[in-house]
């Protein structure tokens, strides 16, 4: 059985890595890029360049979209909705959960099998199992494209809600961002004592590695929902975070990354929950 033909829209750093990986794995690839010159190396390597998006999507039953953002995706796909009927469109562009749901609704109106994707990898990782790619939306569409998608890395179909892959991607990226800010805060504080950043980073890495398993214990408390385990309380944490903020400021370092945590704890104490488990702060994150 011949490998399915695949179209790749967008040959930026990621789209180019994806097109290359698919071609190297024997897929017949048609490529399109807004700046046509970027198709040249791919044509030299065996892909077919399409002059227009319409020509590109007519060439394959599976279309991978690797553009910049939601706006660019809709700018290019809306005009070719009719040509995409019955096609599996896998949108690997970073979009928010609601943008994914909006595009999925548009796709459904036009008989397009829409799969939203989130790439948890950098271009150089594409093709390696360490590249994690999350998908959600049309499960039949995912099954049709699965052989293609599994070429790119480790795949995970997260569910029929088209926004789920993006939501999980952004939740994990949020955790990473806040963790990295911890490095920044620690490095800034220790630099006031002349400690090189790389030295502090090594300390933080060891410390966080020891602390990471604690996250599962906190999650169990959240799932229990009563916040009355008698563990570290809101009041205990209030005084702890106040000390961190004071120590930073005494060293001439701002505490902007720590102050939001303090604010949520103070709100809980003001609401009479000072003796609750401190992880009750999660309830304050819900926008009412
Ligand atoms: N690169 C990475 O490490 C991250 C990893 C996680 C996932 N992201 C997302 O992947 C999408 C593509 O990212 P990229 O790195 O390939 O981005 P660029 O190299 O900047 O290429 C952008 C391509 O999008 C084309 N483009 C931009 N605007 C439009 C438009 N209005 N109409 C058509 N195409 C457009 C651009 O074309 P050109 O500038 O070459 O003409 C590039 O092909 C992205 O969502 C990341 O968040 C990558």
């Amino acid at each position: 059985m011949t490998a399915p033909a695949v179209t790749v829209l967008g040959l930026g750093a990621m789209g180019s890595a994806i097109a290359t990986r698919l071609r190297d794995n024997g897929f017949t690839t048609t490529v399109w890029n807004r700046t046509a010159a970027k198709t040249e190396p791919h044509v030299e390597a065996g892909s077919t360049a399409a002059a227009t998006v319409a020509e590109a999507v007519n060439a394959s039953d599976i279309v991978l979209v690797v553009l910049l953002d939601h706006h660019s995706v809709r700018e290019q796909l809306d005009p070719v909705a009719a040509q995409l009927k019955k096609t599996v469109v896998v949108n690997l562009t970073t979009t928010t959960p609601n943008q994914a749901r909006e595009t999925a609704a548009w796709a459904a109106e036009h008989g397009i099998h829409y799969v939203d994707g989130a790439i948890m990898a950098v271009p150089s990782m594409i093709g390696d199992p360490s590249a994690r790619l999350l998908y959600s939306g049309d499960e039949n569409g995912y099954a049709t494209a699965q052989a293609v998608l599994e070429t790119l890395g480790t795949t995970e179909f997260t569910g029929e809600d088209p926004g789920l892959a993006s939501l999980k991607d952004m939740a994990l990226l949020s955790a990473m961002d806040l963790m990295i800010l911890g490095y920044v805060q620690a490095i800034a504080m220790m630099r006031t004592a002349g400690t090189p950043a790389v030295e502090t980073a090594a300390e933080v890495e060891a410390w966080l590695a020891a602390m990471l398993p604690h996250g599962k214990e906190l999650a169990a408390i959240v799932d229990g929902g009563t916040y009355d385990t008698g563990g570290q309380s809101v009041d205990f944490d209030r005084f702890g975070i106040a000390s961190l903020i004071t120590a930073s400021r005494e060293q001439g370092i701002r505490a902007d990354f720590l102050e939001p945590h303090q604010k949520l704890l103070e709100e809980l104490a003001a609401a009479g929950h000072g003796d609750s488990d401190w992880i009750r702060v999660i309830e304050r994150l819900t926008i009412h």
Side-chain angles (χ1 to χ4, degrees):
M1 191 175 101
T2 55
V6 185
T7 288
V8 179
L9 301 181
L11 295 173
M14 185 57 80
S16 191
I18 287 171
T20 301
R21 173 68 181 171
L22 293 173
R23 185 175 57 243
D24 290 352
N25 277 266
F27 291 96
T28 302
T29 52
T30 299
V31 295
W32 173 86
N33 195 68
R34 177 181 58 180
T35 304
K38 287 186 185 174
T39 64
E40 287 164 14
H42 291 276
V43 172
E44 283 162 26
S47 290
T48 300
T52 65
V53 172
E55 185 186 324
V57 301
N58 285 334
S60 311
D61 293 334
I62 297 171
V63 174
L64 306 187
V65 187
V66 202
L67 301 180
L68 183 66
D69 57 10
H70 175 66
H71 169 75
S72 55
V73 171
R74 296 302 299 273
E75 179 184 329
Q76 299 305 334
L77 293 191
D78 284 16
V80 295
Q83 289 98 307
L84 285 169
K85 190 175 171 69
K86 292 191 175 44
T87 298
V88 177
V89 171
V90 183
N91 184 14
L92 294 168
T93 306
T94 298
T95 61
T96 66
N98 279 349
Q99 288 170 340
R101 294 175 184 124
E102 184 187 307
T103 304
W106 164 83
E109 284 168 17
H110 292 89
I112 299 165
H113 303 292
Y114 182 77
V115 178
D116 199 75
I119 305 173
M120 301 198 75
V122 294
S124 59
M125 293 165 67
I126 290 300
D128 186 276
S130 64
R132 191 172 170 201
L133 293 92
L134 310 175
Y135 298 96
S136 57
D138 182 320
E139 195 156 11
N140 292 329
Y142 173 75
T144 302
Q146 194 165 353
V148 172
L149 302 178
E150 287 176 343
T151 308
L152 306 179
T154 301
T155 64
E156 179 184 336
F157 185 76
T158 58
E160 298 248 286
D161 167 3
L164 212 46
S166 167
L167 176 62
K168 187 167 183 178
D169 178 41
M170 295 202 170
L172 294 177
L173 288 172
S174 298
M176 180 191 74
D177 187 67
L178 291 170
M179 177 198 69
I180 297 292
L181 289 179
Y183 273 84
V184 173
Q185 184 72 27
I187 288 167
M189 290 170 76
M190 290 308 293
R191 280 202 324 172
T192 63
T195 304
V198 288
E199 206 175 295
T200 303
E203 295 263 15
V204 170
E205 182 179 345
W207 173 240
L208 291 186
M211 288 295 107
L212 281 175
H214 188 46
K216 287 195 277 293
E217 295 163 20
L218 295 172
I221 295 173
V222 173
D223 287 341
T226 57
Y227 304 107
D228 58 2
T229 67
Q232 196 165 310
S233 71
V234 167
D235 282 339
F236 181 89
D237 215 27
R238 282 171 65 211
F239 296 115
I241 199 87
S243 302
L244 300 184
I245 291 169
T246 302
S248 298
R249 289 178 177 154
E250 284 173 353
Q251 292 297 117
I253 297 296
R254 293 171 55 169
D256 298 53
F257 300 147
L258 296 165
E259 284 156 357
H261 180 182
Q262 183 181 46
K263 180 173 179 291
L264 297 176
L265 290 165
E266 294 302 332
E267 287 174 7
L268 279 175
H273 299 304
D275 58 355
S276 288
D277 295 314
W278 76 267
I279 190 60
R280 190 171 190 154
V281 289
I282 197 167
E283 288 187 345
R284 305 301 300 181
L285 289 182
T286 302
I287 298 170
H288 294 290

